[in-house]
Coordinates of all heavy atoms in Angstrom, one line a residue:
M142 N 79.6 62.9 137.6 CA 80.5 62.1 136.9 C 80.3 62.4 135.4 O 79.2 62.4 134.9 CB 80.4 60.7 137.2 CG 81.4 59.8 136.6 SD 81.2 58.2 137.4 CE 82.0 57.2 136.2
A143 N 81.4 62.7 134.7 CA 81.3 63.0 133.3 C 81.0 61.8 132.4 O 81.5 60.7 132.8 CB 82.5 63.7 132.8
A144 N 80.3 61.9 131.4 CA 80.0 60.8 130.5 C 81.3 60.4 129.7 O 82.1 61.3 129.4 CB 78.9 61.2 129.5
P145 N 81.5 59.2 129.4 CA 82.7 58.8 128.7 C 82.7 59.3 127.3 O 81.6 59.4 126.7 CB 82.7 57.3 128.7 CG 81.2 56.9 129.0 CD 80.7 58.0 129.8
V146 N 83.9 59.7 126.8 CA 84.0 60.2 125.5 C 84.3 59.0 124.5 O 85.1 58.2 124.8 CB 85.2 61.2 125.4 CG1 85.4 61.8 124.0 CG2 84.9 62.4 126.4
P147 N 83.5 59.0 123.4 CA 83.7 57.9 122.5 C 85.2 57.9 121.9 O 85.8 59.0 121.8 CB 82.7 58.1 121.3 CG 81.8 59.1 121.9 CD 82.4 59.8 123.0
S148 N 85.7 56.8 121.6 CA 87.1 56.7 121.1 C 87.2 57.5 119.8 O 86.3 57.4 119.0 CB 87.5 55.3 120.9 OG 86.7 54.7 120.0
G149 N 88.3 58.3 119.7 CA 88.5 59.0 118.5 C 87.9 60.4 118.6 O 88.2 61.3 117.8
A150 N 87.1 60.7 119.6 CA 86.5 62.0 119.7 C 87.2 62.8 120.8 O 87.7 62.3 121.8 CB 85.0 61.9 120.1
T151 N 87.3 64.1 120.6 CA 87.9 64.9 121.7 C 86.8 65.3 122.6 O 85.7 65.5 122.3 CB 88.6 66.2 121.0 OG1 87.5 66.9 120.4 CG2 89.6 65.8 120.0
P152 N 87.2 65.6 123.9 CA 86.2 66.0 124.9 C 85.5 67.2 124.5 O 84.3 67.4 124.8 CB 87.0 66.1 126.2 CG 88.2 65.3 126.0 CD 88.5 65.3 124.5
S153 N 86.2 68.2 123.9 CA 85.5 69.4 123.5 C 84.5 69.2 122.5 O 83.5 69.9 122.5 CB 86.6 70.5 123.1 OG 87.2 70.0 121.9
A154 N 84.7 68.3 121.5 CA 83.7 68.1 120.5 C 82.5 67.3 121.0 O 81.4 67.6 120.6 CB 84.4 67.2 119.4
A155 N 82.7 66.4 122.0 CA 81.6 65.7 122.6 C 80.8 66.5 123.5 O 79.6 66.3 123.6 CB 82.2 64.5 123.3
A156 N 81.3 67.6 124.1 CA 80.6 68.3 125.1 C 80.1 69.6 124.5 O 79.6 70.5 125.2 CB 81.5 68.7 126.2
Q157 N 80.0 69.8 123.1 CA 79.6 71.0 122.5 C 78.0 71.1 122.6 O 77.3 70.3 122.0 CB 80.0 70.9 121.0 CG 80.2 72.2 120.3 CD 81.1 73.2 120.9 OE1 80.6 73.9 121.7 NE2 82.4 73.2 120.6
P158 N 77.6 72.1 123.4 CA 76.1 72.2 123.6 C 75.5 72.9 122.4 O 76.2 73.6 121.6 CB 76.0 73.1 124.8 CG 77.2 73.9 124.8 CD 78.3 73.0 124.2
P159 N 74.2 72.7 122.1 CA 73.5 73.4 121.0 C 73.6 74.9 121.2 O 73.6 75.4 122.4 CB 72.1 72.9 121.1 CG 72.1 71.8 122.0 CD 73.3 71.8 122.9
R160 N 73.5 75.6 120.1 CA 73.5 77.1 120.2 C 72.1 77.5 120.8 O 71.1 76.9 120.6 CB 73.6 77.7 118.8 CG 75.0 77.5 118.3 CD 75.3 78.1 117.0 NE 74.4 79.2 116.6 CZ 74.2 79.5 115.3 NH1 74.7 78.8 114.4 NH2 73.4 80.5 115.1
K161 N 72.2 78.6 121.6 CA 71.0 79.0 122.3 C 69.9 79.5 121.3 O 68.7 79.3 121.6 CB 71.3 80.2 123.3 CG 72.2 79.8 124.4 CD 71.4 78.9 125.4 CE 72.3 78.5 126.5 NZ 71.7 77.5 127.4
V162 N 70.3 80.1 120.2 CA 69.4 80.5 119.2 C 68.5 79.4 118.7 O 67.3 79.5 118.5 CB 70.1 81.3 118.1 CG1 69.2 81.6 116.9 CG2 70.8 82.5 118.6
K163 N 69.2 78.3 118.4 CA 68.4 77.1 117.9 C 67.5 76.5 119.0 O 66.4 76.1 118.7 CB 69.4 76.0 117.4 CG 70.1 76.4 116.2 CD 70.9 75.3 115.6 CE 71.5 75.6 114.3 NZ 72.2 74.5 113.7
Q164 N 67.9 76.5 120.3 CA 67.1 76.1 121.3 C 65.9 77.0 121.5 O 64.8 76.5 121.7 CB 67.9 76.0 122.7 CG 68.9 74.9 122.7 CD 69.7 74.9 124.0 OE1 70.0 76.0 124.5 NE2 70.0 73.7 124.5
I165 N 66.1 78.3 121.4 CA 65.0 79.2 121.5 C 64.0 79.0 120.3 O 62.8 79.0 120.5 CB 65.5 80.7 121.5 CG1 66.2 80.9 122.8 CG2 64.4 81.7 121.3 CD1 67.0 82.2 122.9
A166 N 64.5 78.8 119.1 CA 63.7 78.6 117.9 C 62.9 77.3 118.1 O 61.7 77.3 117.8 CB 64.6 78.5 116.7
L167 N 63.5 76.3 118.6 CA 62.7 75.0 118.8 C 61.6 75.2 119.8 O 60.5 74.7 119.6 CB 63.7 73.9 119.2 CG 63.1 72.5 119.3 CD1 62.5 72.0 117.9 CD2 64.1 71.5 119.8
A168 N 62.0 75.8 120.9 CA 61.0 76.1 122.0 C 59.8 76.9 121.4 O 58.6 76.6 121.7 CB 61.6 76.8 123.1
F169 N 60.1 77.9 120.6 CA 59.1 78.7 120.0 C 58.2 77.9 119.1 O 56.9 78.0 119.1 CB 59.7 79.9 119.2 CG 58.7 80.8 118.5 CD1 58.1 81.8 119.2 CD2 58.4 80.6 117.2 CE1 57.2 82.6 118.6 CE2 57.4 81.4 116.6 CZ 56.8 82.4 117.3
V170 N 58.8 77.0 118.3 CA 58.0 76.2 117.4 C 57.1 75.2 118.1 O 56.0 74.9 117.6 CB 58.9 75.4 116.4 CG1 58.2 74.3 115.7 CG2 59.6 76.3 115.4
V171 N 57.5 74.8 119.3 CA 56.6 73.9 120.1 C 55.6 74.7 120.9 O 54.4 74.3 121.0 CB 57.5 73.1 121.1 CG1 56.7 72.3 122.0 CG2 58.4 72.1 120.2
V172 N 56.0 75.8 121.6 CA 55.1 76.5 122.5 C 54.1 77.4 121.8 O 52.9 77.4 122.2 CB 56.0 77.3 123.5 CG1 55.1 78.2 124.4 CG2 56.8 76.3 124.4
Y173 N 54.5 78.1 120.8 CA 53.6 79.1 120.1 C 52.3 78.4 119.6 O 51.2 78.9 119.9 CB 54.3 79.8 119.0 CG 53.4 80.8 118.3 CD1 53.1 82.0 118.9 CD2 52.9 80.5 117.0 CE1 52.2 82.9 118.3 CE2 52.0 81.4 116.4 CZ 51.7 82.6 117.0 OH 50.9 83.5 116.4
P174 N 52.4 77.3 118.9 CA 51.1 76.7 118.4 C 50.2 76.2 119.6 O 49.0 76.4 119.5 CB 51.6 75.5 117.6 CG 53.0 75.8 117.2 CD 53.5 76.6 118.3
L175 N 50.9 75.7 120.6 CA 50.1 75.3 121.8 C 49.3 76.5 122.4 O 48.1 76.4 122.7 CB 50.9 74.6 122.8 CG 50.2 74.3 124.1 CD1 49.2 73.1 123.8 CD2 51.1 73.9 125.2
V176 N 50.0 77.6 122.6 CA 49.4 78.8 123.2 C 48.3 79.3 122.3 O 47.2 79.7 122.8 CB 50.5 79.9 123.5 CG1 49.8 81.2 123.8 CG2 51.4 79.4 124.5
T177 N 48.5 79.3 121.0 CA 47.5 79.8 120.1 C 46.3 78.9 120.1 O 45.1 79.4 120.2 CB 48.1 79.8 118.6 OG1 49.3 80.6 118.6 CG2 47.1 80.3 117.6
V178 N 46.5 77.6 120.1 CA 45.3 76.6 120.2 C 44.6 76.8 121.5 O 43.4 76.9 121.6 CB 45.8 75.2 120.0 CG1 44.7 74.2 120.5 CG2 46.2 75.0 118.6
L179 N 45.3 76.9 122.6 CA 44.7 77.1 123.9 C 43.9 78.4 124.0 O 42.7 78.4 124.5 CB 45.7 77.1 125.1 CG 46.4 75.8 125.4 CD1 47.5 76.0 126.4 CD2 45.3 74.8 125.9
N180 N 44.4 79.4 123.4 CA 43.7 80.7 123.5 C 42.5 80.8 122.5 O 41.5 81.5 122.8 CB 44.6 81.9 123.3 CG 45.5 82.1 124.6 OD1 45.0 81.9 125.7 ND2 46.7 82.5 124.4
T181 N 42.6 80.2 121.4 CA 41.6 80.4 120.4 C 40.5 79.3 120.4 O 39.4 79.6 120.0 CB 42.2 80.5 118.9 OG1 42.9 79.3 118.7 CG2 43.0 81.7 118.8
I182 N 40.9 78.1 120.7 CA 39.9 77.0 120.7 C 39.4 76.6 122.0 O 38.2 76.5 122.3 CB 40.5 75.8 119.9 CG1 40.8 76.2 118.5 CG2 39.6 74.6 120.0 CD1 41.6 75.2 117.7
I183 N 40.4 76.4 122.9 CA 40.0 75.8 124.2 C 39.5 76.8 125.2 O 38.5 76.6 125.9 CB 41.2 75.0 124.8 CG1 41.5 73.8 123.9 CG2 40.9 74.5 126.2 CD1 42.7 73.0 124.3
A184 N 40.0 78.0 125.2 CA 39.6 79.0 126.2 C 38.1 79.4 126.1 O 37.5 79.5 127.1 CB 40.5 80.3 126.1
P185 N 37.6 79.6 124.9 CA 36.1 79.8 124.8 C 35.3 78.7 125.3 O 34.2 78.9 125.9 CB 35.9 80.1 123.3 CG 37.2 80.5 122.8 CD 38.2 79.8 123.6
Q186 N 35.8 77.5 125.2 CA 35.0 76.3 125.6 C 35.0 76.2 127.1 O 34.1 75.5 127.7 CB 35.6 75.0 125.0 CG 35.7 75.0 123.5 CD 34.3 75.1 122.9 OE1 33.4 74.5 123.4 NE2 34.2 75.8 121.8
I187 N 36.0 76.7 127.8 CA 36.0 76.6 129.3 C 35.8 78.0 129.9 O 36.2 78.2 131.1 CB 37.4 76.0 129.8 CG1 38.6 76.9 129.3 CG2 37.5 74.6 129.3 CD1 39.9 76.4 130.0
S188 N 35.1 78.9 129.2 CA 34.9 80.2 129.8 C 34.0 80.2 131.0 O 34.0 81.2 131.7 CB 34.3 81.1 128.7 OG 33.1 80.6 128.2
F189 N 33.2 79.2 131.2 CA 32.3 79.1 132.4 C 33.1 78.9 133.7 O 32.6 79.1 134.7 CB 31.3 78.0 132.2 CG 31.9 76.6 132.1 CD1 32.0 75.9 133.2 CD2 32.2 76.1 130.8 CE1 32.6 74.6 133.1 CE2 32.8 74.9 130.7 CZ 32.9 74.1 131.9
I190 N 34.4 78.4 133.5 CA 35.2 78.2 134.7 C 35.8 79.5 135.2 O 36.2 80.3 134.4 CB 36.3 77.2 134.4 CG1 35.8 75.9 133.9 CG2 37.3 77.0 135.5 CD1 36.8 74.9 133.4
P191 N 35.8 79.8 136.5 CA 36.4 81.0 137.0 C 37.8 81.2 136.5 O 38.6 80.3 136.3 CB 36.4 80.9 138.5 CG 35.3 79.9 138.7 CD 35.3 78.9 137.6
Q192 N 38.2 82.5 136.2 CA 39.5 82.8 135.7 C 40.7 82.2 136.4 O 41.6 81.7 135.7 CB 39.7 84.4 135.6 CG 41.0 84.8 135.1 CD 41.3 84.3 133.7 OE1 40.4 84.2 132.8 NE2 42.5 83.9 133.4
P193 N 40.8 82.2 137.7 CA 41.9 81.6 138.4 C 42.1 80.1 138.0 O 43.2 79.6 137.8 CB 41.7 81.8 139.9 CG 40.8 83.0 139.9 CD 39.9 82.9 138.7
L194 N 41.0 79.4 138.0 CA 41.0 78.0 137.6 C 41.4 77.8 136.2 O 42.1 76.8 135.8 CB 39.7 77.3 137.9 CG 39.3 77.2 139.4 CD1 38.0 76.6 139.6 CD2 40.4 76.5 140.2
R195 N 40.9 78.6 135.3 CA 41.3 78.6 133.9 C 42.8 78.8 133.7 O 43.5 78.1 133.0 CB 40.6 79.6 133.0 CG 39.2 79.2 132.6 CD 38.6 80.2 131.6 NE 38.3 81.4 132.4 CZ 37.8 82.5 132.0 NH1 37.6 82.6 130.7 NH2 37.5 83.5 132.8
G196 N 43.3 79.7 134.5 CA 44.8 80.0 134.5 C 45.5 78.7 134.9 O 46.6 78.4 134.3
I197 N 45.0 78.1 135.9 CA 45.7 76.9 136.4 C 45.7 75.8 135.4 O 46.6 75.1 135.1 CB 45.0 76.4 137.8 CG1 45.4 77.3 138.9 CG2 45.5 75.0 138.1 CD1 44.6 77.1 140.2
L198 N 44.5 75.6 134.7 CA 44.4 74.6 133.6 C 45.4 74.9 132.5 O 46.1 74.0 132.0 CB 43.0 74.6 133.1 CG 41.9 73.9 134.0 CD1 40.6 74.1 133.3 CD2 42.3 72.4 134.1
I199 N 45.5 76.1 132.1 CA 46.4 76.5 131.0 C 47.9 76.3 131.5 O 48.7 75.7 130.7 CB 46.2 77.9 130.5 CG1 44.8 77.9 129.8 CG2 47.3 78.4 129.6 CD1 44.4 79.3 129.3
V200 N 48.2 76.6 132.7 CA 49.6 76.4 133.2 C 49.9 74.9 133.3 O 51.0 74.5 132.9 CB 49.7 77.1 134.6 CG1 51.0 76.6 135.3 CG2 49.8 78.6 134.5
L201 N 48.9 74.1 133.7 CA 49.1 72.6 133.7 C 49.4 72.1 132.3 O 50.2 71.2 132.1 CB 47.9 71.9 134.3 CG 47.8 72.0 135.8 CD1 46.5 71.4 136.3 CD2 48.9 71.3 136.5
C202 N 48.6 72.6 131.3 CA 48.9 72.2 129.9 C 50.3 72.6 129.5 O 51.0 71.8 128.9 CB 47.8 72.8 129.0 SG 46.2 72.1 129.2
M203 N 50.7 73.8 129.8 CA 52.0 74.3 129.4 C 53.1 73.5 130.1 O 54.1 73.2 129.5 CB 52.1 75.8 129.6 CG 51.2 76.6 128.8 SD 51.5 76.4 127.0 CE 53.2 76.9 126.9
A204 N 52.9 73.2 131.4 CA 53.9 72.5 132.1 C 54.1 71.1 131.5 O 55.2 70.6 131.4 CB 53.5 72.4 133.6
T205 N 53.0 70.5 131.2 CA 53.0 69.1 130.5 C 53.8 69.2 129.2 O 54.6 68.3 129.0 CB 51.6 68.6 130.3 OG1 50.9 68.6 131.6 CG2 51.6 67.2 129.7
V206 N 53.5 70.2 128.4 CA 54.2 70.3 127.2 C 55.7 70.5 127.4 O 56.6 69.9 126.8 CB 53.6 71.4 126.3 CG1 54.5 71.8 125.2 CG2 52.3 71.0 125.8
L207 N 56.0 71.4 128.3 CA 57.5 71.7 128.5 C 58.2 70.5 129.2 O 59.4 70.4 129.0 CB 57.6 73.0 129.4 CG 57.1 74.2 128.7 CD1 57.2 75.4 129.7 CD2 57.9 74.6 127.5
T208 N 57.5 69.7 129.9 CA 58.1 68.5 130.6 C 58.3 67.4 129.6 O 59.3 66.7 129.7 CB 57.2 68.1 131.8 OG1 57.2 69.2 132.7 CG2 57.9 66.9 132.5
Y209 N 57.3 67.1 128.8 CA 57.3 65.9 127.9 C 57.5 66.2 126.5 O 58.3 65.5 125.8 CB 56.0 65.1 128.1 CG 55.8 64.6 129.6 CD1 54.9 65.2 130.4 CD2 56.6 63.6 130.1 CE1 54.8 64.8 131.7 CE2 56.5 63.2 131.4 CZ 55.6 63.8 132.2 OH 55.4 63.4 133.5
V210 N 56.8 67.1 125.9 CA 56.8 67.3 124.4 C 58.1 68.0 124.0 O 58.7 67.6 123.0 CB 55.6 68.1 124.0 CG1 55.6 68.3 122.5 CG2 54.3 67.3 124.3
L211 N 58.5 69.0 124.7 CA 59.7 69.8 124.3 C 61.0 68.9 124.4 O 61.8 68.9 123.4 CB 59.9 71.0 125.2 CG 60.9 72.0 124.7 CD1 60.6 72.5 123.2 CD2 60.9 73.3 125.5
P212 N 61.2 68.1 125.4 CA 62.4 67.2 125.4 C 62.3 66.2 124.2 O 63.3 65.9 123.6 CB 62.4 66.5 126.7 CG 61.6 67.5 127.6 CD 60.6 68.1 126.7
W213 N 61.1 65.7 124.0 CA 60.9 64.7 122.9 C 61.2 65.4 121.6 O 61.9 64.8 120.7 CB 59.4 64.2 122.9 CG 59.1 63.2 121.8 CD1 59.4 61.9 121.8 CD2 58.5 63.5 120.6 NE1 58.9 61.3 120.6 CE2 58.4 62.3 119.8 CE3 58.1 64.7 120.0 CZ2 57.9 62.3 118.6 CZ3 57.5 64.6 118.7 CH2 57.4 63.4 118.0
T214 N 60.8 66.6 121.4 CA 61.1 67.3 120.1 C 62.6 67.6 120.1 O 63.2 67.6 119.0 CB 60.3 68.6 120.1 OG1 58.9 68.3 120.3 CG2 60.4 69.3 118.8
S215 N 63.2 67.9 121.2 CA 64.6 68.2 121.2 C 65.4 67.0 120.7 O 66.4 67.1 120.0 CB 65.1 68.7 122.6 OG 64.5 69.9 122.9
K216 N 65.0 65.8 121.2 CA 65.7 64.6 120.8 C 65.5 64.4 119.3 O 66.5 63.9 118.6 CB 65.1 63.4 121.5 CG 65.6 63.3 123.0 CD 65.0 62.1 123.7 CE 65.3 62.2 125.1 NZ 64.7 61.1 125.9
R217 N 64.3 64.6 118.7 CA 64.1 64.5 117.3 C 64.9 65.5 116.5 O 65.3 65.2 115.4 CB 62.6 64.6 117.0 CG 61.7 63.6 117.7 CD 62.1 62.1 117.3 NE 61.3 61.2 118.0 CZ 61.6 60.7 119.2 NH1 62.6 61.1 119.9 NH2 60.8 59.7 119.7
A218 N 65.1 66.6 117.0 CA 65.8 67.7 116.3 C 67.3 67.8 116.7 O 68.0 68.8 116.4 CB 65.2 69.0 116.6
A219 N 67.8 66.8 117.4 CA 69.2 66.8 117.9 C 70.2 67.0 116.8 O 71.2 67.8 116.9 CB 69.5 65.5 118.6
A220 N 70.0 66.4 115.6 CA 71.0 66.6 114.5 C 71.0 68.0 114.1 O 72.1 68.6 113.8 CB 70.6 65.7 113.4
W221 N 69.9 68.7 114.0 CA 69.8 70.1 113.6 C 70.4 71.0 114.7 O 71.1 72.0 114.4 CB 68.4 70.5 113.3 CG 68.2 72.0 113.0 CD1 68.6 72.6 111.9 CD2 67.7 72.9 113.9 NE1 68.3 73.9 112.0 CE2 67.7 74.2 113.2 CE3 67.1 72.9 115.2 CZ2 67.3 75.3 113.8 CZ3 66.6 74.1 115.7 CH2 66.7 75.3 115.0
L222 N 70.1 70.7 116.0 CA 70.6 71.5 117.1 C 72.1 71.6 117.2 O 72.6 72.6 117.5 CB 70.0 71.0 118.4 CG 68.5 71.3 118.7 CD1 68.0 70.5 119.9 CD2 68.3 72.8 118.8
V223 N 72.8 70.5 116.9 CA 74.2 70.5 117.0 C 75.0 70.9 115.8 O 76.2 71.0 115.8 CB 74.7 69.1 117.5 CG1 74.2 68.8 118.9 CG2 74.4 68.0 116.6
R224 N 74.3 71.1 114.7 CA 74.9 71.6 113.4 C 75.5 72.9 113.6 O 75.0 73.8 114.3 CB 74.0 71.5 112.3 CG 74.2 70.3 111.4 CD 73.5 70.4 110.1 NE 72.1 69.9 110.3 CZ 71.1 70.3 109.6 NH1 71.2 71.1 108.7 NH2 69.9 69.7 109.9

């Protein structure tokens, strides 16, 4: 079911998705620092853990960020995304 369109707005204006380039830029700004921190600070600290388990830990961190932090950041950057 489609969301109601506010009065005075056209359906095409209300349904305008953000440009992909801006979404990619926002994802890069969120993901790149996390990957850098994980590889330079945390990876040496957990080097005693076998590689497959380290990979799982890093994937869990990334999945958490992509599930919670990236949508939160997208909401905060909504005005920029739709410009």
Side-chain angles (χ1 to χ4, degrees):
M142 185 166 162
V146 178
S148 61
T151 62
S153 61
Q157 207 50 273
R160 291 181 23 206
K161 294 292 182 190
V162 172
K163 289 186 175 186
Q164 289 177 323
I165 291 169
L167 184 65
F169 180 82
V170 166
V171 171
V172 172
Y173 180 75
L175 177 71
V176 170
T177 303
V178 166
L179 287 175
N180 284 326
T181 58
I182 296 174
I183 296 174
Q186 302 298 322
I187 61 171
S188 62
F189 64 91
I190 299 173
Q192 177 59 40
L194 294 177
R195 276 186 290 178
I197 290 171
L198 285 173
I199 290 175
V200 168
L201 285 173
C202 289
M203 293 302 300
T205 302
V206 166
L207 294 175
T208 301
Y209 298 107
V210 177
L211 192 56
W213 179 82
T214 307
S215 295
K216 287 179 186 175
R217 299 301 177 272
W221 174 74
L222 284 170
V223 296
R224 257 191 276 155

